[in-house]
């Protein structure tokens, strides 16, 4: 599933290509993804100029002046920027054609993504209104985490994956940030100290920010703008030696998600 860095890299790659360009045609080939796709979308955006591309959590927001095109990539979705003549495949559900000859295509095999048309303030929409602070913004720090987590009995990993606590920290990056901060994912949030929360917030920013920087620098698969390879310290490495101490990494399940950590390095 694309996580915050992948979505942010997608936004950064699309902006110079599409900002200021005019929508010429919208082709919709599916009635419903996670939610019904507005079949009148073409009437809303054709002839409009794309003013900006923004992001809230894992949601992309395309500013079309009269409203906002909202896209969430879901579990298996990704966006492609292609020449307009490329024929669609089986799971290509939406094409937006622009006046520079480019086409933005939404590919989603499992149909868990979302495409909506919003008017008014998009941040007030129910999908976005309850999302917590952006982890790469100045609003996010250890004090924010501490204020929420100091009285919570949930595991610290579950806390930082709660989008109402902090936006967009998915499973991979939660594993990596907790390793960097030296905190066990099994720790109860209320047991985490202020100092540890500060260290964790910094780790979240470093892991996410570093991933955005790494993804933005890649030039592989330029037409597929959502995914890029990761070099993880713990995630996906259960049973392998810890790169810090050499002990075996432990893999467990939390909230039906894979959790990998080092019992020696993460207290």
């Amino acid at each position: 599933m694309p996580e915050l860095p992948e979505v942010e890299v997608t936004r950064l790659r699309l902006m110079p290509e599409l900002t200021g360009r005019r929508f010429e045609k919208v082709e919709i080939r599916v009635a419903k993804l996670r939610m019904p796709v507005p079949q009148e979308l073409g009437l809303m955006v054709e002839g409009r100029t794309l003013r900006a591309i923004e992001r809230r959590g894992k949601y992309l927001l395309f500013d079309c002046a009269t409203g906002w095109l909202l896209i969430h990539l879901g579990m298996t979705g990704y966006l492609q920027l292609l020449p307009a003549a490329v024929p669609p495949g089986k799971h290509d559900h939406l094409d937006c054609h622009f006046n520079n000859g480019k086409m933005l295509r939404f590919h989603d095999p499992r149909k868990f993504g979302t495409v909506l048309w919003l008017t008014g303030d998009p941040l007030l929409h129910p999908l976005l209104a309850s999302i917590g602070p952006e982890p790469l913004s100045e609003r996010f720090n250890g004090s924010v985490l501490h204020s929420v987590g100091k009285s919570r009995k949930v595991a610290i990993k579950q806390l930082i994956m709660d989008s109402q606590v902090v936006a967009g920290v998915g499973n991979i990056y939660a594993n990596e940030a907790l390793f960097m901060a030296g905190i066990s994912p099994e720790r109860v949030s209320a047991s985490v100290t202020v100092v540890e929360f500060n260290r964790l917030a910094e780790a979240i920013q470093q892991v996410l920010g570093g991933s955005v920087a790494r993804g933005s620098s890649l030039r592989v698969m330029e037409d597929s703008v959502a995914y890029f390879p990761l070099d993880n310290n713990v995630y996906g490495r259960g049973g392998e030696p810890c790169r810090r101490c050499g002990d075996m990494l432990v893999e467990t399940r939390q909230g039906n998600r894979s959790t990998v950590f080092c019992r020696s390095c993460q207290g």
Side-chain angles (χ1 to χ4, degrees):
M1 177 180 181
E3 297 197 18
L4 185 147
E6 289 87 349
V7 179
E8 178 64 8
V9 169
T10 296
R11 186 185 75 86
L12 293 173
R13 290 188 178 179
L14 292 179
M15 281 200 306
E17 297 283 350
L18 299 181
T19 302
R21 301 297 183 177
R22 188 176 67 252
F23 287 88
E24 290 199 331
K25 183 173 63 173
V26 174
E27 296 179 278
I28 300 169
R29 303 184 189 89
V30 66
K32 185 178 183 296
L33 295 170
R34 178 180 158 199
M35 300 178 182
V37 177
Q39 299 301 301
E40 70 280 7
L41 185 61
L43 296 175
M44 301 297 185
V45 303
E46 287 172 9
R48 300 289 180 182
T49 297
L50 180 63
R51 300 198 303 187
I53 306 174
E54 300 181 10
R55 179 188 55 76
R56 185 70 176 103
K58 300 177 186 179
Y59 292 87
L60 287 169
L61 290 163
F62 296 77
D63 182 355
C64 305
T66 57
W68 300 77
L69 173 62
L70 177 147
I71 295 180
H72 188 282
L73 300 175
M75 293 290 292
T76 58
Y78 60 84
L79 294 171
Q80 293 178 294
L81 194 60
L82 301 167
V86 176
K90 179 179 179 181
H91 303 298
D92 296 333
H93 304 309
L94 175 75
D95 290 343
C96 293
H97 296 260
F98 291 85
N99 67 333
N100 61 348
K102 296 292 182 69
M103 169 179 63
L104 183 64
R105 171 166 286 168
F106 185 33
H107 177 92
D108 185 9
R110 297 186 68 183
K111 296 185 179 180
F112 288 164
T114 301
V115 175
L116 294 177
W117 175 254
L118 310 181
T119 56
D121 186 347
L123 301 184
L124 298 179
H125 189 275
L127 288 175
L128 306 180
S130 62
I131 296 178
E134 291 288 334
L136 298 178
S137 72
E138 294 181 355
R139 289 183 56 209
F140 178 70
N141 53 46
S143 296
V144 169
L145 285 181
H146 178 253
S147 66
V148 178
K150 63 183 179 181
S151 60
R152 298 279 292 272
K153 302 300 182 183
V154 299
I156 185 63
K157 183 186 171 210
Q158 299 306 109
L159 182 83
I160 63 174
M161 287 184 62
D162 184 344
S163 64
Q164 295 186 28
V165 175
V166 54
V169 181
N171 191 43
I172 295 174
Y173 297 98
N175 279 273
E176 295 298 304
L178 286 163
F179 175 77
M180 182 179 289
I183 299 171
S184 170
E186 297 178 334
R187 286 267 302 274
V188 173
S189 297
S191 73
V192 179
T193 68
V194 174
V195 172
E196 289 174 319
F197 270 121
N198 287 333
R199 197 163 68 231
L200 179 56
E202 291 176 1
I204 289 170
Q205 291 180 323
Q206 288 180 38
V207 169
L208 294 177
S211 190
V212 170
R214 185 169 59 252
S216 298
S217 69
L218 293 176
R219 289 294 176 265
V220 295
M221 293 180 66
E222 286 189 331
D223 67 327
S224 178
V225 293
Y227 297 95
F228 48 89
L230 301 171
D231 181 23
N232 301 319
N233 284 309
V234 289
Y235 184 81
R237 298 188 61 243
E240 298 181 24
C242 173
R243 292 173 177 172
R244 187 178 293 165
C245 73
D247 285 357
M248 198 73 71
L249 295 175
V250 176
E251 183 166 3
T252 63
R253 303 290 290 181
Q254 284 181 296
N256 206 32
R257 301 287 188 92
S258 174
T259 296
V260 184
F261 65 106
C262 177
R263 291 199 187 277
S264 299
C265 295
Q266 294 173 254

